[in-house]
Amino acid sequence: MRWTRQACVALDADDVLGELRGLFILPEGRIYLDGNSLGPLPAAVPGVLQRVATQEWGEDLISSWNTHEWLQLPQRVGDKIARLVGAGPGELIVTDSTSINLAKVVSAALSLARDRSPHRTEIVSERTNFPSDLYVAEGVVRMAGASLRLVHLDPAGGISAAVSDVVSDDTAVVLLTQVDYRTGRMLDLAEVTAAVHRSGALMVWDLAHSAGAVPVDLHAADADFAVGCGYKYLNGGPGAPSFVWMHPRWAAAARQPLQGWLGHEQPFAFDAGYRPAPGILGFQAGTPPILSLAALECGVDTVLAAEPFGGVAALRAKSTALTSMFIDLVDERCPILRTVSPRAAAERGSQIALTGDVDAYALVQALVDRGVTGDFRAPEVARFGFAPLYIRFVDVWDAVDRLAEVIDSEAWREPRFAQRAPVT
Ligand SMILES: *Cc1c(COP(=O)(O)O)cnc(C)c1O
């Protein structure tokens, strides 16, 4: 299909999700295609932070733990996120960072698997998984006297077969990220989980690039554990706490190693010995970050605001339309670039990775300079996220228009665009 700018404007006019863009404060004149890395500022956040800071913290001080139910905030926001990922109330909690929650769930899953089958001592993950996930797994296996095996899942013969090929009789836990952070490749949660279970291992999912962007049903998939990120598609703000979920079948038996007082059954009994709080509450460790949780709640509310319009399914439909249009336009107008992400919409998340005979880092910087924000992922990928809550079809058109201009003029070759900043 050949797109025109006018056709994009018409699609936006018909878009029932279009009004949700008003829930954000977006900088004038910037097309923000990096909400997969840091979601934009929800319009409600400044007012809520002002209230929580001046009234709750400033006036009511420590009594706010009771009067404003600060202690319950991790559960309240957790219950809201649960609605987005097919989890039940009370099963999911917001606490700590994704990396720290990964350490808890990988360790808990490893212990559960070994309790059932002591010979299973291996964690399997993908070599291309997000490095923090691999570093955490490395640390856990070192402490637990287990091992980590990194594999390549070759989807050619079907993903179930690929999983069965790489999971052995020694495997205790499989740790995978549903949507690959670089390529956007998306795995079928249910199919992969079923294959892992058939091999006798437990399944841990990282939903960092899934939650809030693609329909996730943890119960339907029958997963064992999951973690996800608060500051990407959930728009919770820089360093927002992450979420952690465990299937209720493990609630009684699971133990995580970071035993802090707020994961205790009775924190204010001040007992010398640890007794875990029931279920997912025992996955808390220390005092929750109230200001960050207040901001995250506003972010999660922006995603829940789509519920009257069809919820995550409607967001997903728009996101695949946006990414498909982007691929079409890049094919047409930037022939030197190659789409790394799967071309079949069902096989990718909400982001598109491009590469080609260009310095992808400089390409992204030249685009940022022209008002289009994407990011670069080493070694060679320019990455663009399409968050359907606030990205319009006309933004896709304009972004590719500027991309084509940067390539045709070779503006990316300007030396200033090659200067690497610490964060890419
Ligand atoms: C973003 C991301 C993380 C982030 O972890 P933090 O502890 O929040 O820094 C972890 N895993 C994956 C797959 C991610 O995409």
Side-chain angles (χ1 to χ4, degrees):
M1 155 114 203
R2 275 185 87 88
W3 297 102
T4 61
R5 192 171 194 281
Q6 214 177 358
C8 295
V9 170
L11 281 172
D12 288 324
D14 283 345
D15 176 16
V16 292
L17 300 172
E19 66 185 74
L20 298 173
R21 183 175 162 89
L23 296 173
F24 297 91
I25 297 174
L26 294 160
E28 197 57 41
R30 178 155 298 276
I31 299 173
Y32 188 64
L33 303 181
D34 214 1
N36 52 316
S37 210
L38 174 65
L41 174 66
V45 164
V48 166
L49 286 182
Q50 170 84 9
R51 175 175 56 75
V52 175
T54 58
Q55 246 169 277
E56 300 187 5
W57 179 13
E59 292 289 322
D60 301 337
L61 286 163
I62 200 159
S63 59
S64 291
W65 286 104
N66 293 315
T67 55
H68 296 293
E69 301 190 338
W70 281 356
L71 205 59
Q72 286 74 39
L73 202 50
Q75 297 162 61
R76 187 170 86 211
V77 181
D79 281 348
K80 287 187 175 187
I81 296 173
R83 282 152 60 186
L84 301 171
V85 295
E91 290 175 7
L92 184 151
I93 196 142
V94 178
T95 178
D96 297 321
S97 66
T98 306
S99 301
I100 291 176
N101 284 330
L102 277 164
K104 298 173 192 165
V105 296
V106 169
S107 173
L110 183 63
S111 300
L112 289 166
R114 278 170 143 182
D115 287 349
R116 289 193 311 188
S117 325
H119 65 279
R120 291 186 182 264
T121 57
E122 171 188 84
I123 295 176
V124 166
S125 192
E126 274 189 295
R127 198 165 290 120
T128 49
N129 200 348
F130 189 72
S132 198
D133 298 43
L134 301 181
Y135 304 157
V136 165
E138 240 180 70
V140 168
V141 300
R142 197 178 63 234
M143 284 194 291
S147 62
L148 173 65
R149 190 158 53 87
L150 300 183
V151 301
H152 167 64
L153 286 178
D154 179 5
I159 197 68
S160 294
V163 170
S164 306
D165 278 353
V166 297
V167 178
S168 79
D169 288 344
D170 298 332
T171 308
V173 177
V174 177
L175 164 65
L176 295 172
T177 298
Q178 188 192 12
V179 176
D180 184 276
Y181 77 104
R182 291 179 76 252
T183 66
R185 180 216 59 190
M186 183 167 75
L187 296 171
D188 186 304
L189 223 57
E191 210 178 326
V192 171
T193 304
V196 167
H197 283 171
R198 274 195 300 277
S199 306
L202 266 63
M203 184 71 226
V204 175
W205 284 109
D206 187 332
L207 303 175
H209 292 277
S210 313
V214 301
V216 172
D217 194 333
L218 286 166
H219 271 282
D222 199 34
D224 297 297
F225 293 88
V227 299
C229 186
Y231 52 80
K232 291 172 179 157
Y233 292 104
L234 297 181
N235 308 312
S242 118
F243 67 85
V244 53
W245 172 84
M246 148 173 79
H247 193 284
R249 68 173 158 267
W250 301 120
R255 291 291 293 263
Q256 63 92 2
L258 307 181
Q259 302 186 159
W261 71 311
L262 284 185
H264 192 281
E265 191 178 24
Q266 278 187 299
F268 288 88
F270 294 105
D271 284 340
Y274 185 76
R275 275 178 289 120
I280 202 68
L281 295 179
F283 278 69
Q284 296 183 99
T287 306
I290 298 303
L291 296 175
S292 297
L293 275 158
L296 173 59
E297 185 167 32
C298 298
V300 173
D301 284 344
T302 63
V303 185
L304 292 175
E307 280 185 341
F309 308 102
V312 178
L315 291 171
R316 170 68 177 161
K318 180 177 172 189
S319 128
T320 53
L322 291 168
T323 51
S324 298
M325 176 187 280
F326 184 75
I327 292 173
D328 286 351
L329 283 168
V330 169
D331 282 349
E332 184 187 321
R333 302 195 52 196
C334 313
I336 73 161
L337 294 179
R338 182 169 62 78
T339 296
V340 177
S341 307
R343 285 182 170 263
E347 292 168 19
R348 63 173 186 256
S350 208
Q351 73 204 48
I352 298 296
L354 303 176
T355 193
D357 192 15
V358 291
D359 173 348
Y361 180 82
L363 183 69
V364 167
Q365 293 313 308
L367 270 176
V368 169
D369 191 57
R370 282 159 175 75
V372 179
T373 302
D375 61 20
F376 167 77
R377 283 298 172 262
E380 81 307 16
V381 155
R383 189 176 72 154
F384 302 94
F386 298 85
L389 279 173
Y390 49 88
I391 296 300
R392 299 165 298 193
F393 290 95
V394 76
D395 295 326
V396 175
W397 173 275
D398 290 342
V400 178
D401 199 46
R402 286 177 218 175
L403 183 59
E405 189 268 313
V406 166
I407 287 172
D408 294 344
S409 67
E410 303 204 359
W412 59 271
R413 290 190 193 273
E414 282 180 48
R416 64 184 171 124
F417 295 133
Q419 299 287 332
R420 298 252 172 139
V423 175
T424 64

